[in-house]
């Protein structure tokens, strides 16, 4: 009689590619440990199928463009709400080879997941670029207009020409067809990719600013008005990267 595979061996096998024949054998195995492994495997497989379906649905806008021979850029910004630092936009162009199903709205991903995706996105997109508008210009033209300027910069910085834009809830001053998508980073893969790149880029900038301006916790709060940040304002005052038209920053100005 053939000795059954160990549970440890089956567990290792289920982490990779398995055949229908293997699964059929294991499903007849009455050991509780094996059945628990199979239940976990089935759950993981179902999640992957659901993720693949959602990924396909979020490619609708891009796929329609590709079928008409058009190149689109997805555009998003990050950093409207912070009290300090720039607003950053990213533009991303993908083609039908893009297969990172984990790409989603950056706000729905953990920091670890976002950072893990960063280089993969950069490697797989056709092109990407950033736009940055600093705190001084934000104070001059307001945060909404600054976001639009950053988006325009990102698009103009792309290394490829695009035929149209998919933008998260905004439009920009460019003579290109534009699809203004509410919650676009959750509806378009290229916008989702742009949102991840923009968030990671801005977080890196704020971590660098934390070295120049210690005591505010920029490496932790990215310039948002956390208790640590507000305590830093009270103790050290306003820095050159603070948005002086934003409350409560303006309350600390002479």
């Amino acid at each position: 009689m053939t000795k059954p595979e160990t549970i440890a061996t089956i567990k290792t096998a289920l982490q990779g590619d398995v055949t229908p024949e293997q699964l059929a054998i294991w499903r007849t195995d009455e050991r509780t440990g094996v059945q628990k492994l199979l239940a976990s495997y089935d759950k993981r497989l179902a999640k992957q199928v659901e993720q693949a379906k959602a990924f396909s649905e979020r490619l609708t806008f891009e796929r329609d463009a590709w079928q008409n021979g058009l190149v689109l850029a997805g555009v998003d910004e990050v950093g409207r709400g912070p009290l300090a630092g720039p607003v950053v936009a990213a533009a991303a162009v993908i083609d039908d080879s893009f297969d990172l199903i984990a790409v989603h709205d950056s706000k729905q991903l953990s920091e670890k997941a976002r950072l893990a995706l960063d280089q993969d996105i950069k490697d797989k997109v056709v092109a990407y670029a950033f736009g940055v508008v600093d705190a001084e210009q934000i104070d001059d033209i307001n945060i909404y207009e600054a976001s639009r300027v950053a988006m325009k910069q990102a698009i103009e910085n792309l290394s490829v020409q695009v035929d149209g834009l998919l933008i998260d809830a905004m439009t920009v001053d460019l003579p290109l067809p534009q699809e203004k998508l509410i919650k676009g980073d959750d509806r378009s893969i290229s916008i989702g990719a742009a949102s991840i790149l923009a968030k990671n880029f801005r977080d890196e900038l704020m971590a660098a600013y934390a070295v120049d301006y210690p005591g505010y916790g920029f490496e932790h709060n990215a310039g948002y008005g956390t208790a640590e940040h507000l305590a830093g304002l009270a103790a050290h005052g306003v820095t050159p990267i603070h948005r002086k038209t934003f409350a409560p920053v303006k309350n600390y100005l002479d």
Side-chain angles (χ1 to χ4, degrees), residues 211-234:
V211 177
D212 296 330
Y213 306 109
Y216 300 87
F218 292 147
E219 70 276 26
H220 306 300
N221 57 49
Y224 284 88
T226 63
E228 180 182 21
H229 187 176
L230 296 179
L233 271 172

Side-chain angles (χ1 to χ4, degrees), residues 200-213 217-223 241:
N200 291 339
F201 185 87
R202 188 178 186 279
D203 283 357
E204 289 179 7
L205 284 178
M206 295 308 296
Y209 280 130
V211 177
D212 296 330
Y213 306 109
F218 292 147
E219 70 276 26
H220 306 300
N221 57 49
I241 68 164

